[in-house]
Amino acid sequence: MIWQTHEVSNQYDEWQDYNLFLSDAALREALAGAGADWAEPWLTAYGERLGRAETFELAEQANRFAPQLAAFDRRGRRRDGVDFHPSWHELLALYREQGLVSLPFDSERPGRWTAFLAGFYLHGQLEAGTLCPATMTQAAIPLLRREPALWAQLGGKLFSREHDRRDLPVERKSSVWLGMGMTEKQGGSDVRANTTAATPIGGGEYLLRGHKWFFSAPTSDAHLVVAQTPDGGPSCFYVPRWRPDGSRNAVAIQRLKDKVGNRSNASGEVEFQDAWGVLIGEAGRGIPTIIEMAAHTRLNCVIGSAALIRQGLVQAVAYARQRVAFGKRLAEQPLMRAVLADLALESEAALWLAARLAEGFENDEPAWKRIVAPAAKFWVCKRAVELAGEAMEVFGGNGYVDAGPMARLFREAPVNSIWEGSGNVMCLDVLRALRREPDAWQSLLDELAGLAGDDENLRAALAELAALASLPPAQLEIQGRRLAQLLALTAQGCLLRARAPAAVADGFIASRLADARWGVVVGALDATGLRLDDLLRRALPF
């Protein structure tokens, strides 16, 4: 006999079977504003595919069934492999089919960086782990283009839209994925402290010996690695998984990291046991090479965090419109409306900031690439951590269990704030850029002033920002986080004033820049003057 003690009611699944692109007015406006309307048909189809329940299930499976280290084969021979659930490869194939890996570099079509942003942003709302190898592969393209021999071998495989999951030498593959190997135990973000040694063997070839504490996507077809050359200079090397003679390269995976989030993606600790590698760029110039690569990966951290914020908002709004508590739907409760509106403002501001950064990369604008990008990574990635927690809380206890995406969003959020330079590193990068590029800084202030128009709150923020940046270095460094935060908020406010509907711009500026008490917790803003219906309808129009 099966007992039935109650009927299940007032319980709602996470929002699925919707088009991620068509339901996002701000994203479509950003695309049109950048002249990337040509991408709308493709992004519409991709948004529909990503929104299907079966795609959500792929993301769930890829994270539930984490990668497993296969260090040896059945007979004890060294394999140094990682076994992934099939869903991981399905998601990688889906991403690669869109051409997103090479989109910013495979043409000069206007708006290509914004089109890339849109695709990356949509995918990041479903599954973030697959974006790690995608980001590293993309960031390596401009570096490898300057290496004729390597580019002749790899260029077509990097631009390929086919996912080749086989573990073979690159010569036998239709496409490749690349990783990065920078971090060591003793140094962390201080790459100059790396001790991995590279010994020249002639013809630009080296043997690398040492360790890496974090080795992203360890079974990628190749990694870009920083190691010390005999003259003591950190240099960058291309280290493939297989040697040119067809033997496995001497990169031994010690273990996989048991991470808080990003579970679908493997991160490992490895040892180089005289691994074969090829010098990229000049010997001793590895740091500038890595900084160039990091500029691209940091942009993707901003976009990825904006994607997590967006998905948290969508799920929170959809659930609150259905769930009933104390006689009314949650979305009708004044206090919940304040929380949802705060999430909506933050989400749209993060998107517009990321979109302007993408334009800055397309147009090679130093002010946005070198000054605003680290500030945006600092701010947007940190905000994603708090906002993911708030979105999860809308679901109550249901949000805190792993039988749905909300807990995964919460676990994913911190990695973007840590990877490619944690918060303090980003703030120090902002300060260095201000000192080194005063002309770019002034051009940024001028641009933001033009966007601000006659908005008194924005002009006051710009004046405060200019005064703060002019402090002597010893006084400014201790306020580095305050400067980065104010820069991000001011840039977001100016962009919203110029590009978003008045309801969004007014609400953001009034709460973030005019109200000195804002920022303690989400939803603690003064929402009495906000156009809440407009904000929430724009956030998710159903």
Side-chain angles (χ1 to χ4, degrees):
M1 178 178 180
I2 298 175
W3 284 58
Q4 185 171 336
T5 63
H6 65 286
E7 292 184 3
V8 177
S9 63
N10 201 27
Q11 289 285 333
Y12 301 95
D13 295 331
E14 290 75 13
W15 196 243
Q16 299 177 357
D17 289 321
Y18 73 103
N19 191 307
L20 275 69
F21 179 68
L22 293 181
S23 60
D24 194 335
L27 181 60
R28 289 185 284 115
E29 290 166 10
L31 198 73
D37 307 75
W38 50 266
E40 277 201 7
W42 149 60
L43 288 167
T44 299
Y46 195 36
E48 187 275 331
R49 175 75 179 275
L50 290 170
R52 295 176 189 171
E54 54 262 36
T55 313
F56 274 86
E57 181 60 24
L58 287 177
E60 174 70 21
Q61 291 174 355
N63 286 271
R64 182 178 297 276
F65 303 105
Q68 300 295 312
L69 176 62
F72 301 93
D73 68 12
R74 291 172 181 157
R75 296 296 178 264
R77 292 179 290 263
R78 192 92 209 182
R79 177 186 165 197
D80 291 302
V82 178
D83 294 331
F84 291 89
H85 190 270
S87 56
W88 165 263
H89 291 290
E90 287 192 53
L91 289 165
L92 278 181
L94 179 61
Y95 184 90
R96 191 122 204 183
E97 286 171 9
Q98 315 309 313
L100 287 164
V101 171
S102 61
L103 180 57
F105 306 110
D106 61 14
S107 75
E108 295 299 317
R109 182 181 291 186
R112 62 191 180 280
W113 276 90
T114 305
F116 154 72
L117 169 144
F120 191 94
Y121 180 76
L122 294 175
H123 191 101
Q125 293 179 49
L126 262 291
E127 211 289 306
T130 41
L131 295 181
C132 180
T135 289
M136 295 184 295
T137 303
Q138 181 191 70
I141 290 176
L143 304 183
L144 293 171
R145 268 182 161 171
R146 298 198 290 269
E147 304 292 329
L150 284 174
W151 187 251
Q153 179 188 42
L154 300 172
K157 303 175 192 298
L158 289 167
F159 281 18
S160 172
R161 292 191 174 210
E162 178 183 345
H163 170 54
D164 190 340
R165 61 180 291 178
R166 298 174 299 167
D167 186 11
L168 295 171
V170 296
E171 296 83 2
R172 298 167 58 188
K173 298 193 66 173
S174 60
S175 65
V176 294
W177 296 100
L178 301 182
M180 296 167 63
M182 314 298 168
T183 308
E184 298 184 3
K185 294 185 181 80
Q186 73 284 347
S189 295
D190 184 6
V191 180
R192 293 185 185 278
N194 283 7
T195 61
T196 296
T199 302
I201 58 175
E205 300 178 8
Y206 288 73
L207 295 180
L208 278 65
R209 182 177 297 182
H211 76 281
K212 294 295 174 183
W213 187 232
F214 279 92
F215 201 64
S216 299
T219 53
S220 295
D221 297 291
H223 284 76
L224 299 189
V225 173
V226 170
Q228 300 283 353
T229 49
D231 62 3
S235 303
C236 186
F237 298 88
Y238 169 83
V239 181
R241 183 158 166 79
W242 296 80
R243 292 173 180 258
D245 63 6
S247 63
R248 180 91 66 192
N249 208 355
V251 181
I253 303 176
Q254 304 301 301
R255 63 173 175 172
L256 298 183
K257 298 289 190 180
D258 187 9
K259 297 172 292 184
V260 171
N262 209 242
R263 299 276 183 85
S264 66
N265 175 47
S267 301
E269 300 168 22
V270 302
E271 284 189 349
F272 299 129
Q273 301 169 349
D274 286 345
W276 181 86
V278 178
L279 179 68
I280 293 180
E282 300 177 34
R285 294 285 296 167
I287 301 301
T289 301
I290 294 309
I291 288 175
E292 179 182 349
M293 192 174 183
H296 294 89
T297 54
R298 288 171 178 178
L299 169 64
N300 287 14
C301 287
V302 176
I303 303 171
S305 290
L308 295 175
I309 295 170
R310 170 66 187 174
Q311 182 60 198
L313 167 68
V314 166
Q315 295 297 342
V317 170
Y319 187 75
R321 286 176 177 167
Q322 300 172 89
R323 176 79 170 179
V324 175
F326 308 111
K328 290 195 298 187
R329 299 186 190 277
L330 290 179
E332 298 169 351
Q333 309 274 3
L335 195 52
M336 179 59 77
R337 286 164 64 80
V339 172
L340 296 176
D342 216 352
L343 291 171
L345 292 171
E346 196 84 38
S347 177
E348 184 152 350
L351 173 60
W352 281 111
L353 183 57
R356 181 61 185 89
L357 285 173
E359 293 174 20
F361 274 73
E362 181 166 324
N363 301 320
D364 195 22
E365 299 174 73
W368 290 91
K369 291 177 67 175
R370 292 196 275 278
I371 299 175
V372 182
K377 181 183 180 302
F378 166 76
W379 181 246
V380 175
C381 295
K382 285 199 174 298
R383 294 297 292 157
V385 178
E386 179 179 358
L387 297 167
E390 287 289 348
M392 181 171 66
E393 189 173 324
V394 172
F395 285 73
N398 289 336
Y400 195 65
V401 297
D402 273 334
M406 303 311 294
R408 186 171 76 248
L409 293 178
F410 183 69
R411 289 196 309 268
E412 280 301 346
V415 70
N416 286 329
S417 190
I418 296 169
W419 188 49
E420 294 301 83
S422 57
N424 283 354
V425 173
M426 292 300 97
C427 294
L428 291 172
D429 278 359
V430 173
L431 300 183
R432 278 191 288 269
L434 292 182
R435 292 194 298 269
R436 292 174 180 173
E437 305 204 41
D439 292 342
W441 172 239
Q442 187 57 53
S443 73
L444 176 64
L445 292 178
D446 292 342
E447 178 185 345
L448 294 179
L451 296 174
D454 58 0
D455 189 299
E456 294 181 1
N457 291 311
L458 291 176
R459 290 200 165 275
L462 284 167
E464 182 183 354
L465 188 61
L468 187 59
S470 67
L471 291 174
Q475 297 180 35
L476 181 56
E477 182 171 331
I478 200 169
Q479 300 188 73
R481 287 192 170 213
R482 182 181 171 200
L483 173 70
Q485 173 181 308
L486 182 59
L487 174 55
L489 286 171
T490 304
Q492 287 177 322
C494 291
L495 289 167
L496 291 173
R497 175 58 72 214
R499 301 184 176 188
V504 179
D506 291 346
F508 184 89
I509 294 166
S511 58
R512 272 67 172 167
L513 296 171
D515 186 354
R517 295 169 295 178
W518 173 83
V520 179
V521 294
V522 174
L525 76 173
D526 181 0
T528 53
L530 302 185
R531 291 154 59 180
L532 298 176
D533 288 337
D534 292 343
L535 289 174
L536 298 180
R537 191 179 306 111
R538 178 174 171 82
L540 186 61
F542 86 88

